[in-house]
Structure formats: structure tokens, C-alpha cells
Amino acid sequence: MNSSKSAASVFRRRRRTIIVLIFLAAGATLLYFLFFRTATLGPIAEKKRMAQLEAAKPHYELKAFESDGCSFNISQGWSTSVKGLSKISPAIAERYANAENIPFEEACIQHDKIYHKGEGGYGRRLQADNALRAEIISYGINNTEEIKRRTNLSTNEEAIFLYETIAEAVYYAVRVGGAPCTGMPYAWGFGYGSGVCTSP
């Protein structure tokens, strides 16, 4: 009887952890939308911005590629959190040893490379965003043991679901905030005029 109560308690804690993570991801996406009103949410609005970007490109020289990893300070926040928490918790220091960078940062850099030039219009941007989402999910599927060790989740399914949730939040954030001509340093075509589609 005690073992079934213990198992139920562990299940409730794990479920609570996953629910909190989902709400955090959803909250971050909502805040992102609320604070970036220049975002586009549909193909018609985006088509106009794509045309504006193409008209602006001849007025700018393509800047050398630079990436901040996963944009909107996600990479920086990860690194800062891991370093800070590792100083105060030996358990976190042990679990996140050799994980100062966000695990799927290379996928974000590849995504940035496509966004840098901003070529191919709406369809190409959609492909890039879907590829980023797929890479994050693949990381979850291919690294379940590492994820479980770091998060104290006990099943492969929970580990994959965590990264599936992260992937969805990242996907919607880049769909909403990554459109061209927002003036953001991660806008589609940011290599031309830093994401601002006006003539210099």
C-alpha cells in the first residue's frame, strides 16, 4: 500500500513539473506576442513584408553572418542559469556539467543562417521554422537518458514530451516574431539593415 502511495506521489510531482514547464513555455510565447506588436500572423501580411524586404535589400550590403544562438536571449539565459545555479547546487553542477550551452543551440545557429539572407519567401521561412522544431524534437528523442538525468524525469516519454513542448514554444515564437521588417535582430533577412526594411 505504501509503495502505491509513493508511486502516485511521484507521478503527481512529475505531472506537476511537466504542467509547470508547459505553462512557462506558453507564458513566454504569450509575452513575446504581447510585447512585439510588429509581428505578423498571416501569409497575406507576411507577403507584404517580404516584398518590402526585397525592395530594401539593394540598398544594403549583406552583413557578415553572426548568431546569438537561440535568439531572444534564450541561449544567454540558459548559460547564465546553468552557471549561477551550479555555483549554489552541487547536484545541478553535476547534472549540467558540460552543458553550459543550450542543447539544441547548433539547430538555432543553422536556423539563423537561413534567416540571415532571408531568401525564398514565406515558404522557405516556414521550412526553416519547421526544421528547427524537428531538430529540437529529435534532440529529445535521441537524448532521453541525458534529459532524464538532468531533469529527474523517469520515463523516455516524459523526456521526449518535455522537448516536444519546448519545440512547439520555439516554433510559435519564431513564426510570430521572426517575420521580416520587424526591426528585430533575428527578423527574416536580418543580414540586410538589421531587420529594418527601409532605405538608408
Side-chain angles (χ1 to χ4, degrees):
M1 184 138 181
N2 283 343
S3 66
S4 69
K5 282 185 180 179
S6 176
S9 174
V10 168
F11 175 76
R12 280 194 300 274
R13 273 186 279 145
R14 285 194 190 116
R15 188 175 67 183
R16 199 172 22 229
T17 300
I18 290 172
I19 289 169
V20 167
L21 290 169
I22 290 169
F23 277 111
L24 286 173
T29 303
L30 179 63
L31 285 173
Y32 190 87
F33 173 69
L34 292 174
F35 288 106
F36 292 98
R37 301 207 181 274
T38 57
T40 60
L41 294 175
I44 303 303
E46 186 164 321
K47 181 178 180 180
K48 291 177 184 174
R49 294 245 179 121
M50 289 288 182
Q52 190 180 350
L53 170 64
E54 291 307 313
K57 279 182 177 181
H59 300 284
Y60 294 94
E61 186 175 326
L62 180 64
K63 291 182 182 177
F65 174 73
E66 290 182 22
S67 174
D68 60 356
C70 299
S71 299
F72 198 53
N73 293 324
I74 294 173
S75 286
Q76 183 180 349
W78 172 280
S79 297
T80 302
S81 297
V82 167
K83 288 175 188 173
L85 292 171
S86 293
K87 289 178 184 175
I88 59 174
S89 170
I92 290 176
E94 187 267 322
R95 280 190 219 144
Y96 286 85
N98 303 317
E100 287 187 6
N101 293 328
I102 199 162
F104 48 86
E105 185 156 340
E106 185 55 36
C108 292
I109 293 169
Q110 294 306 314
H111 183 260
D112 280 356
K113 284 181 180 177
I114 297 167
Y115 265 59
H116 176 245
K117 291 182 179 177
E119 295 175 344
Y122 182 85
R124 182 65 183 110
R125 188 169 92 85
L126 182 61
Q127 283 180 329
D129 295 346
N130 274 300
L132 176 60
R133 173 169 55 180
E135 285 294 321
I136 296 170
I137 292 171
S138 290
Y139 179 86
I141 292 168
N142 296 325
N143 295 279
T144 53
E145 293 307 315
E146 186 66 23
I147 294 165
K148 289 189 296 186
R149 187 180 70 79
R150 288 185 180 147
T151 61
N152 285 333
L153 295 171
S154 63
T155 68
N156 290 350
E157 291 77 11
E158 289 172 316
I160 293 167
F161 180 70
L162 172 61
Y163 273 76
E164 180 185 5
T165 303
I166 292 168
E168 291 302 315
V170 169
Y171 173 79
Y172 286 108
V174 295
R175 291 306 299 155
V176 171
C181 308
T182 61
M184 295 294 138
Y186 41 77
W188 179 258
F190 69 84
Y192 296 94
S194 300
V196 178
C197 298
T198 55
S199 300

